[in-house]
Amino acid sequence: MALEPTLEAVGAAAGVSRATVSRVINGSPKVSPTAKEAVERAIAELGYTPNRAARSLVTRRTDTVALLFSEPEARVFADPFFVALVRGITAITAEVDMNLVLLIAQDDAEHERARRYLRRDHVDGVVLMSLHGDDPLPRLLEEAGVPTVQVGRPLAGADVCYVDADNRGGARLAVEHLVEQGRRKIATIAGPSSMSPGIDRLAGYRDALKTGGTRSPKGLVEEGDFDEASGYEAMLRLLAREPALDAVFSASDLMAVGALRALREAGRDVPGDVAVIGFDDAPFASHTLPPLTTVRQPLEEMSRQTAELLLERIADGNGALRHVTCATELVRRESALAH
């Protein structure tokens, strides 16, 4: 009976080291295209089949990564932003034959269960999404040696790997556009102050007003929760406080949809009376009435960067901490045309 080919045999046939063969099999991004092609050709020629069970005994790998959301289940599956990121990360992990586990932890008890699970060698790495406040989980996972990547800039300057959109710059683009269109009483529906996107998008709003020399009446800031209902309620409060407002920047498209509904019920024309800009460029943004001007987050790029960064940290034993910020852009539609 012929012996099964080994990693060493594959390496010899490909003209690379055993370690390079291992990196290719484990999906590490730190392999040149030429080496990867040579290894894959040698694997095919020799008929090598990776023994996943045996490898896991040696490397303690589980071939599983976790996505943890600190949000209610209904929010996770209803928000297009989360859905797009999950789809993108899943596609990339599937390319390297990694399983994916979805964890949803909203309250303290669920967080504690998630912490225990993630620190007991059940997964090779973790993507953290939508953390609130100064959550200690990223630091605890780093200290436990669990490769971790966070989507969104951490609060309080926590030194963890993360991938984020340029939230502040995107918000600034949106509000500068409103100023250029001649809007003078510009309100904002901000995101939660316990989350970096909420903080950064509010900062971008204020940057643009200051740079443009536009003084908005005091109190034209209302906080929402990134969902439609909170956008609706915030818009009602803004209208009650300043009936003459002529523009609103919403820190999410879902909140902008709620704002559009409140304005319609109040008899305000959009964009004639009030211009509206959202943030995300969700799939429905081009189908609202009127179509929504918004800030596009590069979700495909963010998904790819997040997955590749996590796989790199898994393959290289955590490695250096990296911070990736992806550019945003303004998508102009009818909801924010000039007077």
Side-chain angles (χ1 to χ4, degrees):
M1 178 182 293
L3 294 175
E4 288 290 328
T6 63
L7 282 177
E8 287 79 3
V10 173
V16 300
S17 67
R18 183 185 189 280
T20 298
V21 177
S22 179
R23 288 193 187 98
V24 172
I25 292 171
N26 286 298
S28 171
K30 286 195 170 181
V31 180
S32 71
T34 301
K36 184 173 183 289
E37 182 181 350
V39 170
E40 290 174 344
R41 185 167 56 249
I43 287 173
E45 290 173 353
L46 296 175
Y48 174 77
T49 303
N51 187 330
R52 209 168 268 274
R55 189 172 81 240
S56 67
L57 290 174
V58 176
T59 64
R60 300 180 65 83
R61 288 275 299 273
T62 66
D63 296 306
T64 300
V65 296
L67 266 62
L68 185 144
F69 293 87
S70 292
E71 294 288 355
E73 182 176 324
R75 168 76 64 83
V76 172
F77 293 109
D79 193 318
F81 173 77
F82 292 142
V83 172
L85 282 176
V86 170
R87 185 183 298 117
I89 292 171
T90 300
I92 292 173
T93 54
E95 289 177 1
V96 294
D97 206 16
M98 297 280 281
N99 301 308
L100 189 140
V101 174
L102 184 63
L103 301 175
I104 297 176
Q106 183 182 7
D107 57 30
D108 290 341
E110 291 172 345
H111 268 82
E112 182 55 36
R113 283 196 296 273
R115 290 187 186 105
R116 290 197 302 267
Y117 176 81
L118 294 173
R119 296 177 68 183
R120 288 180 180 172
D121 298 326
H122 290 114
V123 298
D124 296 329
V126 184
V127 174
L128 300 174
M129 292 192 182
S130 198
L131 297 185
H132 292 256
D134 188 16
D135 195 312
L137 185 56
R139 175 178 52 81
L140 293 173
L141 292 173
E142 286 290 336
E143 291 173 353
V146 181
T148 303
V149 177
Q150 183 170 326
V151 177
R153 180 182 63 82
L155 294 179
D159 199 9
V160 298
C161 263
Y162 70 84
V163 175
D164 200 5
D166 182 6
N167 291 297
R168 186 167 185 164
R172 186 168 56 246
L173 285 174
V175 180
E176 286 173 349
H177 179 68
L178 293 171
V179 172
E180 291 167 0
Q181 296 297 320
R183 309 290 173 164
R184 290 296 175 262
K185 294 184 178 179
I186 304 170
T188 186
I189 302 174
S193 57
S194 62
M195 302 179 69
S196 60
I199 294 170
D200 292 345
R201 293 172 196 176
L202 179 59
Y205 161 83
R206 288 173 169 156
D207 288 344
L209 291 184
K210 183 177 180 180
T211 302
T214 299
R215 286 183 170 274
S216 248
K218 186 177 180 181
L220 281 190
V221 176
E222 279 290 335
E223 185 173 314
D225 196 28
F226 285 141
D227 62 8
E228 182 179 345
S230 68
Y232 174 81
E233 295 295 335
M235 191 72 249
L236 292 179
R237 293 192 296 272
L238 288 167
L239 286 171
R241 190 178 305 131
E242 181 52 70
L245 67 84
D246 61 2
V248 59
F249 164 61
S250 169
S252 81
D253 287 349
L254 282 172
M255 292 196 299
V257 168
L260 288 172
R261 179 160 60 93
L263 289 165
R264 187 163 52 248
E265 291 178 2
R268 307 300 173 89
D269 178 70
V270 177
D273 299 323
V274 182
V276 178
I277 296 183
F279 201 111
D280 287 333
D281 195 25
F284 59 76
S286 61
H287 303 296
T288 59
L289 293 174
L292 185 64
T293 297
T294 183
V295 178
R296 176 177 294 154
Q297 298 197 72
L299 295 184
E300 183 176 340
E301 179 186 359
M302 291 174 67
S303 300
R304 178 180 56 79
Q305 293 272 13
T306 299
E308 291 183 354
L309 183 52
L310 183 65
L311 292 173
E312 179 182 307
R313 302 200 78 205
I314 292 170
D316 296 337
N318 257 354
L321 297 178
R322 287 176 50 201
H323 306 151
V324 179
T325 301
C326 301
T328 50
E329 63 176 311
L330 184 67
V331 180
R332 293 171 173 82
R333 298 192 181 102
E334 285 82 351
S335 70
L337 295 176
H339 285 290

